[in-house]
Amino acid sequence: MSRRSRFLAWIVLVLVSGLPGRAVAASRIPTGFQVRNLSVKGARCAYAVYLPPGYDRQRAWPCIVFLNGSGECGTDGEKPTRMGLGPALLAHPERWPFVVLLPQKPRDDEEWVEHEDLVFAALQAARKAWHIDPDRVALTGISQGGYGAWLIAARHPDQWSCLVPVCGYGRAHTTASRIWKLPIWAFQGLKDDIVDPREPQAIVAAVRERQKAAGLAEGGPGWARLTLYPDQGHGCWDAAYGDSSLAAWMLEQRRAR
């Protein structure tokens, strides 16, 4: 190639790469999991973000915040992607057109409520970077993360479009009065030998009592859902996130104004 030809090719490349357009912009954004770091109260914390296939910044995306269990704690940012929701995203990406945030709780001897600053710091960073729909931010988690989802939702019920605790322990009297207006779908294995299955059942029962008193029809829109797996133990998250109707249900929910 002559010097003139190389120069003309370079000019074309510059012009094309500078063109505005959704296709060009989208091609530069890697999808899948990315690990990032945050400073929260002077401490280095990690989180992962999942961008779905077809992601582009021109539209507002629904978001899921996933809270990991005790076995995925640390500061590497990767472990939370390997258990719970992460494998479901990779197995069926077409079901999950969400930006997904996976903050990582640093220590397994602390509860998520002690690290809610990390949750909201990651969410704030995502809103700046990834164009999140403020009315479609779902909260979910497994085991310790399920407990964290119950409590953080109760402490900040106006932040979420829906709540999906999976094998999450908790106390009905500390949560039901604050979350009964939220769309809720809880999952629990009845052979769980780590989390007492009676705890999430009691929370959902208390929520339903509040909903019934407010005039909601049993089984109707907004009625709290509970899926129990008779033959599942603690690791019922594969069945829960593998339920093909869950992602569609989460997409339908909107934050109350």
Side-chain angles (χ1 to χ4, degrees), residues 22 25-26 29 55-61 128-131:
R22 184 171 300 183
I29 302 173
Y55 171 84
D56 74 72
R57 290 191 179 94
Q58 304 303 313
R59 53 169 283 198
W61 287 80
K128 291 180 179 178
W130 310 116
H131 198 181

Side-chain angles (χ1 to χ4, degrees), residues 37-133:
N37 293 306
L38 285 168
S39 178
V40 180
K41 294 183 176 179
R44 175 187 171 275
C45 298
Y47 73 101
V49 60
Y50 170 86
L51 299 182
Y55 171 84
D56 74 72
R57 290 191 179 94
Q58 304 303 313
R59 53 169 283 198
W61 287 80
C63 177
I64 299 173
V65 177
F66 169 82
L67 306 183
N68 62 268
S70 62
E72 297 76 59
C73 293
T75 57
D76 64 285
E78 294 183 2
K79 289 179 184 176
T81 70
R82 302 173 189 163
M83 190 75 70
L85 181 55
L89 300 176
L90 298 179
H92 293 284
E94 74 284 355
R95 293 181 186 172
W96 301 94
F98 298 84
V99 172
V100 181
L101 301 180
L102 304 93
Q104 185 177 29
K105 186 160 67 70
R107 296 167 56 97
D108 64 2
D109 59 349
E110 297 173 341
E111 296 290 357
W112 265 109
V113 72
E114 300 173 68
H115 294 279
E116 68 174 30
D117 287 343
L118 167 59
V119 175
F120 288 107
L123 185 54
Q124 182 180 13
R127 283 172 170 154
K128 291 180 179 178
W130 310 116
H131 198 181
I132 301 300
D133 184 340

Side-chain angles (χ1 to χ4, degrees), residues 46-254:
Y47 73 101
V49 60
Y50 170 86
L51 299 182
Y55 171 84
D56 74 72
R57 290 191 179 94
Q58 304 303 313
R59 53 169 283 198
W61 287 80
C63 177
I64 299 173
V65 177
F66 169 82
L67 306 183
N68 62 268
S70 62
E72 297 76 59
C73 293
T75 57
D76 64 285
E78 294 183 2
K79 289 179 184 176
T81 70
R82 302 173 189 163
M83 190 75 70
L85 181 55
L89 300 176
L90 298 179
H92 293 284
E94 74 284 355
R95 293 181 186 172
W96 301 94
F98 298 84
V99 172
V100 181
L101 301 180
L102 304 93
Q104 185 177 29
K105 186 160 67 70
R107 296 167 56 97
D108 64 2
D109 59 349
E110 297 173 341
E111 296 290 357
W112 265 109
V113 72
E114 300 173 68
H115 294 279
E116 68 174 30
D117 287 343
L118 167 59
V119 175
F120 288 107
L123 185 54
Q124 182 180 13
R127 283 172 170 154
K128 291 180 179 178
W130 310 116
H131 198 181
I132 301 300
D133 184 340
D135 292 327
R136 290 194 290 172
V137 180
L139 180 62
T140 186
I142 60 172
S143 193
Q144 276 192 353
Y147 176 53
W150 284 122
L151 276 189
I152 291 175
R155 288 165 64 89
H156 308 276
D158 58 338
Q159 296 294 311
W160 315 105
S161 58
C162 62
L163 174 61
V164 183
V166 180
C167 56
Y169 50 96
R171 297 290 183 268
H173 69 277
T174 61
T175 53
S177 64
R178 299 274 294 167
I179 63 172
W180 68 269
K181 293 181 181 180
L182 272 173
I184 296 168
W185 192 346
F187 296 83
Q188 178 63 47
L190 291 180
K191 291 186 176 179
D192 195 330
D193 58 356
I194 296 176
V195 171
D196 187 339
R198 292 174 295 183
E199 292 189 16
Q201 291 181 77
I203 295 173
V204 172
V207 167
R208 287 173 173 174
E209 284 299 316
R210 293 268 182 170
Q211 293 176 333
K212 187 175 180 180
L216 268 68
E218 183 173 349
W223 188 254
R225 298 185 177 197
L226 174 63
T227 296
L228 300 173
Y229 298 109
D231 298 321
Q232 290 274 347
H234 190 56
C236 69
W237 44 76
D238 288 338
Y241 295 122
D243 188 326
S244 60
S245 61
L246 175 59
W249 178 84
M250 294 172 79
L251 275 172
E252 293 173 356
Q253 309 310 315
R254 298 292 187 277

